[in-house]
Every structure is written in structure tokens, then in C-alpha cells.
Amino acid sequence: MKRSLLLPCLLLIAACGAARAEKADSTKPTNIEADQMVYDDVRQVKTFTGNVVLTRGTLLIKAGRVVLTTDQYGYEYAVLYAAPGTLASFRQKRDGGPDLWIEGQAERIEYSEQTEISKLFNRAHIQRMDGKRITDEVNGEFISYDSRAEFYSVNNTASGESKPGAGRITAVIQPKNSPAQPAPPAPPAQPGKAQ
């Protein structure tokens, strides 16, 4: 049976580009704090309710409720639900540099370990960061990310399809290279030499 990897849920989340979530996180223990836990061993469903905080390495998840289901092959399916009036959120370090991060939030976030597809529903937002500087960000009612294919889509309805008049998605993609540096000042003229 395959070893279950509770929520690399947020490999999801390289959603704005090719950089992946920090690989080392998958070997770290998962710590979950909540007001309540219900574990149904027969159905293989774990439900954490009330100010849920999940950490695993650099991954930090906050939600009102988290439901983890394990299938017969050991794959996990996670659903994060926001508490009323808030959004479920995650933050995770990305491979590829010392201070690269990805953050996201939505009213509901779903992740399938088997397909490595993550879906963010309603008021969905994902941003990549280099330190505190936001490098890319997308917003919409639905964001789907396939981490195997490094493919994502953003739609203006939570059904996953875009409809005319249903609203707009937004994306801000920063230049990959830093702006050109100004040329250094010319050396001072030396007396007696022609310029």
C-alpha cells in the first residue's frame, strides 16, 4: 500500500508557475491543531474542526474545517473549508531559491494526492513571492492547478467554466528580470586630455 502523504496539498500551489513546493516538506511530520477531531476508521475520514492549523515543514494551512479522506490505495483527498466570514489559506516555501514562497486562499480548497490536482473555489487567490515581494498573482472564482503538468486555469465562476458577464479574473505577472540598472556615471574628465 502506498504511503499516504497528508496534504502535499499545496504542491497545489506552485499554481502560478513552474517552481514546485519544497520537496523536503513531504518527509516532515504533519502537526494539526483544532478544537475538535472526528476519526471514522471504517470510512477512512478524518475531520478537524474549529480554527484548524496544519503545519508540515514550511507548509502552513489555516481553515475552519479540514476533511481528509484516504482511499483504498492510500491516496489522500483533502478539503479545506473557510470559517464563516474568512478564507481558508496556505503558505509554503518553494524550491528554487532561499526565500521563494507561494500563498493562496479561497472559501474552499480541494486537493487530490492521486491526481496532484488542486482546486480553489470562491474568492480564489494565489500569489508567488520572492521574500516579501509579490512576483505573480491571480484571482478568480475558480483556480485549478495540475502540478504534474504544471498547468493551471483561472475562471470567473466557481463551476470551473467562464461565463460572459459573470465577472472578471485578474492576473499580475511581474517581469522575470529586474529592471535595467542605470549606467554608471562617466569618469571625471582629466585635465589636459581631449574628450
Side-chain angles (χ1 to χ4, degrees), residues 132-165:
K132 294 184 184 264
R133 185 176 70 87
I134 297 172
T135 57
D136 300 305
E137 63 183 314
V138 293
N139 297 285
E141 287 301 301
F142 176 81
I143 300 173
S144 176
Y145 176 66
D146 180 333
S147 64
R148 288 181 185 163
E150 296 182 358
F151 175 85
Y152 70 97
S153 65
V154 183
N155 300 84
N156 66 358
T157 68
S159 68
E161 58 184 311
S162 288
K163 295 180 180 176

Side-chain angles (χ1 to χ4, degrees), residues 34 36-40 45-49 52 65-68:
Q36 179 183 19
M37 175 190 171
V38 175
Y39 178 48
D40 182 339
V45 177
K46 298 172 251 353
T47 303
F48 300 89
T49 308
V52 182
R65 182 168 52 120
V66 174
V67 178
L68 303 171

Side-chain angles (χ1 to χ4, degrees), residues 117-143:
I117 293 176
S118 301
K119 297 176 181 178
L120 287 78
F121 298 87
N122 300 2
R123 299 189 296 161
H125 173 82
I126 291 179
Q127 64 187 23
R128 292 191 321 163
M129 302 173 70
D130 185 351
K132 294 184 184 264
R133 185 176 70 87
I134 297 172
T135 57
D136 300 305
E137 63 183 314
V138 293
N139 297 285
E141 287 301 301
F142 176 81
I143 300 173

Side-chain angles (χ1 to χ4, degrees), residues 19-54:
R20 291 186 165 255
E22 187 160 88
K23 292 179 183 98
D25 286 350
S26 66
T27 63
K28 302 284 196 276
T30 300
N31 298 299
I32 303 173
E33 296 177 21
D35 294 338
Q36 179 183 19
M37 175 190 171
V38 175
Y39 178 48
D40 182 339
D41 195 27
V42 174
R43 292 179 35 227
Q44 290 294 297
V45 177
K46 298 172 251 353
T47 303
F48 300 89
T49 308
N51 193 26
V52 182
V53 178
L54 182 149

